[in-house]
Amino acid sequence: MTISNFYDRSAWHIMGSHRENPDALLVEECLSGSQHAWSEFYHRFLPLVRSTVRRQKGLNSSDIDDLTQNIFLHLVDGLNDYDTRYSLPRFVCRVAERTCIDEYRGLKAAKRHAPTDPIDHHDGGEEGSLTIQALGESQEDELSRAQIAAVLRKALKSLGSRCRDLLSMRYYEELPYRRISEVFHATDNTLTVQVRRCIEELRAVWDELMRTGVGR
Amino acid sequence: MKRPDETQPGDHPKDLLFHYLEGELDPGESANVKRHLDACSECLKEFRMLDETVSMLRVNREAFCPEAWEVYEFVKTGSDPEGSLTRHVSGCPTCSQEAEAYRTSVHSSALPEAIKEKVEKRFSKNVTDFRPPEPRLTSSGWFSSSIKRRIVVCGALAASIALVVLMYPRGAVGPRIGLSPTIWEQTEHYLTPKAGPLGPPKTNLAVLFVFREFPGPVPQADIDSLYQAVKPGPELSERFQFIQPVQVRDALGGARLGSDNREALYKVLRDKVYLQRLLLLTVSPKGTAFRIEGELIDLTSGQILKSQSGQVAGKSQLMSTIGEWLSLME
């Protein structure tokens, strides 16, 4: 028996999934306290949160696990701040980055106020927090560098697409001006002047971000 | 190369500073600029600003990487408005590794205990899940394992359907597909295909609830409880690879099923989750009772392989009807 037009003259109505914005429905279900929805939320965004945490260089796998869990705990509290007009992955990423920055600041503060003599904690440390003793100077430098990179990324994104492409080809792909000039059909000299202007523009944005505290 | 300005004694060679920094000057020009920088604090300050900014870009190359969520959305939706993500992700080891992680991520069932507790604590006043108690599975299979399990499942179904009818007493609308974020927990060990020389791969199968002639939307908690009630047991899982309800929901959630025939539905399921068999369970109110139809459909041919239907007036009839649905697959 072949089926066709089983439900004649009536369109499918889909329940349990928001036709225009499935993420909005998932958030709604999470906020209603559905464990199913939270399970879906967790497993959907676990790779994204882990990637965001991994971008904070210098963390060992245990730190990554702890921080990942802390981020989801923050999300349980903060999901009602999500504005459904915007991307849910972006919101999750922002919460993850903010949690990483807070952890980093906490670690720095704790380290500043830590006693000079090392203390041997045999209690395994406080659950849900990173182990300060695990953070060496190089790790701290890496974490700091990750924060700098995040601000620099923000500054780069504020530039026009041509500037971003020029700077990316020159300083990320490390192409010589001769090669870039072939792509942009411009002389080496013209491109060098344009790259300089982009650098100046980037620096102005960077200084502004640092001045207004976005980068801190 | 022609320069914007040639350095003259006493002039500030500002336009040459960046060329000098980038090593784009010939040795003579380079020596002139260097001499000027040794003597001019104003130009030296500008040169240092350029040098610092370029160094910052060279040291923090990851700043050129898109944000993690942009890579995620690129993988999930193919969205690349400026065309730069495709180029970057393909050439960047870090981003391509992230993209691969997003592509290969699979749903699991377990929510970490700390998060589960936090959710319970945070939302304890407005929990809406309506679920039957977790059934105890035995090796004897689904619905034949114990009378207790049958009563629990059927009771949940009856209660859910009764709740739907009570909440929406009047007026009828067209069929509604009920999707759910349900993940059948504690089933991975038998939902996962076994490795080894055990014969041909199992046919995959999904369950889908459709509500006909209900006067309004069925509460999500009731839909969830229905999916929870039809969680497959070990014996069925030996014969079919079950697609989780959440995967069906992901496949159909953004689908445009504006047409009025099943073919569009089947096509989406075939294309998105490569579905081979669909168990379609249709529930409709019939006075104070309910009509339940079960169809096992081969999605490759569009044929109904088996079908059963029944009218349910109470728990015992509901149980026997559900038994008929399940016998479709025997």
Side-chain angles (χ1 to χ4, degrees), chain A residues 4-5 22 28 36 47 94 99 110-111 130 141-142 147 149 187:
Chain A
S4 62
N5 296 323
E28 192 181 308
H36 290 303
R94 289 283 173 272
T99 307
K111 199 166 188 178
L130 299 182
D141 290 345
E142 290 284 10
Q147 306 306 329
T187 65

Side-chain angles (χ1 to χ4, degrees), chain B residues 78-299:
Chain B
S79 168
D80 186 9
E82 292 181 355
S84 56
L85 283 170
T86 308
R87 177 188 169 102
H88 182 91
V89 171
S90 63
C92 171
T94 307
C95 292
S96 60
Q97 198 178 344
E98 281 184 11
E100 189 56 25
Y102 301 148
R103 282 190 196 101
T104 55
S105 68
V106 290
H107 280 292
S108 174
S109 61
L111 191 61
E113 205 54 39
I115 299 170
K116 197 172 179 178
E117 282 174 16
K118 176 105 180 180
V119 168
E120 282 169 2
K121 191 175 171 187
R122 175 82 169 76
F123 302 102
S124 58
K125 289 179 182 174
N126 56 338
V127 168
T128 60
D129 278 358
F130 176 73
R131 284 192 284 165
E134 199 63 36
R136 185 177 298 168
L137 293 172
T138 68
S139 59
S140 56
W142 195 18
F143 284 94
S144 59
S145 58
S146 70
I147 295 298
K148 186 179 175 184
R149 175 171 163 73
R150 291 184 181 196
I151 292 170
V152 166
V153 170
C154 296
L157 279 169
S160 303
I161 294 167
L163 188 61
V164 167
V165 173
L166 285 172
M167 290 183 70
Y168 298 100
R170 289 187 183 80
V173 296
R176 296 166 186 274
I177 296 176
L179 300 177
S180 169
T182 296
I183 298 171
W184 288 314
E185 296 176 6
Q186 300 166 0
T187 53
E188 293 86 353
H189 59 290
Y190 54 78
L191 285 179
T192 307
K194 289 178 182 172
L198 298 176
K202 289 188 282 190
T203 302
N204 68 31
L205 188 146
V207 178
L208 189 64
F209 275 99
V210 170
F211 300 88
R212 290 175 74 183
E213 298 168 0
F214 278 85
V218 180
Q220 187 60 46
D222 295 337
I223 298 174
D224 290 348
S225 71
L226 288 170
Y227 277 99
Q228 195 65 30
V230 295
K231 174 177 160 182
E235 287 187 357
L236 280 172
S237 299
E238 281 294 315
R239 300 172 49 224
F240 294 99
Q241 183 187 344
F242 278 85
I243 304 291
Q244 293 273 9
V246 68
Q247 292 174 281
V248 176
R249 189 192 114 140
D250 285 349
L252 294 176
R256 299 275 175 190
L257 297 176
S259 68
D260 59 358
N261 63 53
R262 287 188 176 196
E263 294 303 332
L265 171 69
Y266 297 165
K267 184 173 188 315
V268 172
L269 290 171
R270 277 197 307 265
D271 291 349
K272 292 202 174 179
V273 289
Y274 309 106
L275 191 64
Q276 296 164 305
R277 297 278 193 279
L278 174 68
L279 177 61
L280 194 67
L281 301 174
T282 306
V283 182
S284 51
K286 192 98 173 168
T288 56
F290 309 98
R291 181 174 174 76
I292 301 180
E293 298 169 52
E295 297 159 283
L296 182 64
I297 301 156
D298 177 3
L299 289 199

Side-chain angles (χ1 to χ4, degrees), chain A residues 13 32 164 172 177 196, chain B residues 14 22 46 61 82 126:
Chain A
H13 297 263
S32 77
R164 281 203 307 273
Y172 179 76
Y177 280 106
R196 177 191 171 137
Chain B
K14 289 184 181 292
E22 293 283 81
E46 186 166 339
R61 293 175 76 239
E82 292 181 355
N126 56 338

